[in-house]
Amino acid sequence: SPPKFTYKSCTSELNPPQINDTLGHRVGDLLLCEVANRLKICVRESDLVARFGGDEFVMLISDAATVNDVGQLAAKIVESVGQPCKLDGHDIEVRPSLGIALYGRDGQDIETLLKHADAAMYEAKAAGRGTFRFYDETLNRIAVLQSELALHLQRAIVDGELRLHFQPQAALDNFRVTGLEALVRWEHPEHGLIFPDNFLSLAEEDSLLILPLGYWVIDAACHQLATWKAQDVPLVPIYINVSTRQFRDANLVNRIFAALDKYSLPGELLGIEITENCITDDPDQAMAQMMALRARGVQVTIDDFKSGFLNFGLLSELHIRAIMIDRSLIGNIHNHHNDAIIVDSIITLAHKLGFRVLAEGVETREQVLHLKLAGCDEVQGYFFQRPAPANEIESMLHQGEFEK
Ligand code: C2E
Ligand code: CA
Ligand code: CA
């Protein structure tokens, strides 16, 4: 079935008519070329960028995975086009307004999509230019809230508004708890508990935000382990999520070691979850980071694994603890025959290469049974336990196993 949002069409508007009048047509033309180039750099080969007449451009973006991705792309385009440029000796800065219509949601045909993208563009203009708007009002509110959140994230870290929740992972044969995944939440004074998808996706674009957040998480996880240790709660490793940006940070390993030292913890009690692109982006750097972590016992899990068969060769050269099968595949085990086949094949191949396999997002008994038959090693999901604050996880740690 086609993804819900396959196409985004957006128009952006600048002000070359004025530039034509004040600086001449030559500069106006140069500016249009400059903008076109910047737009092209923001998108993929397969996307379409076209000048729609005057100072309007239309872009057709295919295969945007989520509305969040579309919002992020829009923010990137506004940022990029809004950068000052020097043309023919003149310093020029434009403030583009961008309107977004989503195929399916906002229209089925090109005329409707263009009309709605245009209407959204006027909203963006009315909001003061240099910004973007979705045609859909709900999406707009979410996008605006998300950009506000990203702006205030730094303050939230300093003010101590972030929390860690923990979700247990357990062996599938005896349901013994093998580890806890740490998941960040923001206890916002006005908006209540906010989930990471609402503030991380934008923050990830900005290393000044994502790095301090990552350091906070490392420290908070170690602090929790030390607290439990002092209270004689039986310990299992905590696995923290490390974003691509953070994994590329040369200080990551030192930060992790410093936190372990600060709380006098062995490296075996801490692990990280990274996605495949952390490795494929720069295999040599990844190898070096992982060797350093391993020297201290810190384990690495590959998160969100779904279609990376081609990377198995590369992965097999690295020392990883396990592969985590993406929850989208697990959720479809019983609806999509192909996904069940993919899950089974990932497990078989991973085992041949010597990795453990963990299934995330397990929600039903049927999924548990399927995974058991397929030989999956570990499970995690709402079926067993939703992510929860430390105090709600403690009884499970004392017990040592899932109740189911
Ligand atoms: P993820 O690493 O794939 O984390 C698992 C997500 O699945 C969590 O969402 C968790 O609450 C949710 N989940 C667990 N069991 C089930 C289930 O049975 N069904 C369904 N439908 N969902 C389940 P959450 O907490 O909203 O986190 C979303 C994403 O945000 C995470 O995806 C991770 O990529 C990112 N994230 C969370 N905490 C951190 C962090 O501290 N640092 C970084 N860099 N990223 C984080
Ligand atoms: Ca994860
Ligand atoms: Ca995951």
Side-chain angles (χ1 to χ4, degrees), residues 10 66 72 104 198 207 215 259 334:
C10 70
T66 64
Q72 269 179 55
N198 284 316
S207 55
Y215 300 149
H334 289 284

Side-chain angles (χ1 to χ4, degrees), residues 9-53:
S9 111
C10 70
T11 61
S12 92
E13 214 248 12
L14 352 144
N15 264 330
Q18 279 171 9
I19 287 176
N20 282 344
D21 294 344
T22 52
L23 302 176
H25 282 269
R26 195 184 129 69
V27 178
D29 288 349
L30 286 174
L31 177 61
L32 287 170
C33 292
E34 177 65 24
V35 170
N37 282 331
R38 290 184 186 187
L39 292 176
K40 271 201 296 203
I41 289 170
C42 290
V43 300
R44 286 170 301 187
E45 273 302 299
S46 52
D47 299 325
L48 184 92
V49 178
R51 182 170 160 227
F52 206 56

